[in-house]
Amino acid sequence: MTQIFERPAAMGLLARAEPLRLAALFPDLPAHTRLRGPEIGAVMVRGRQGGTGAPFNLGEMTVTRCTVRLAEGPVGHAHVQGRNTEHALRAAVLDALLQTDRAAALTRSVLALLAAEETT
């Protein structure tokens, strides 16, 4: 049985994946056009004391974002922690591919493996 991943869960899994592991699971990127980036920037991280208190600014975190379009048309997005532009590009391409008929195969060969490794 194929595990089903909603898009936000899949994007989160790709963002948290180790870049080298993601590259090993999905080494070859299909034809795509870069619409944005990969670009390195910063975001403000917010927190709540005890998880329920008033929000406060904890500090900034470096992120890399990327947006791509596949030749078939789907657009993929990614935001990853740090400065790894290849990780952001690969995650964005996979996000776009997960909107095509290749979604089930990629879920089995990439997402399910990453999810299993993340829980161990």
Side-chain angles (χ1 to χ4, degrees), residues 43-81:
V43 296
M44 180 60 67
V45 178
R46 300 200 60 174
R48 292 179 182 263
Q49 189 167 353
T52 59
F56 63 94
N57 292 336
L58 185 63
E60 290 185 344
M61 178 177 81
T62 304
V63 295
T64 304
R65 70 179 180 177
C66 186
T67 301
V68 300
R69 177 180 288 127
L70 298 180
E72 308 89 66
V75 175
H77 306 279
H79 287 80
V80 300
Q81 183 177 350

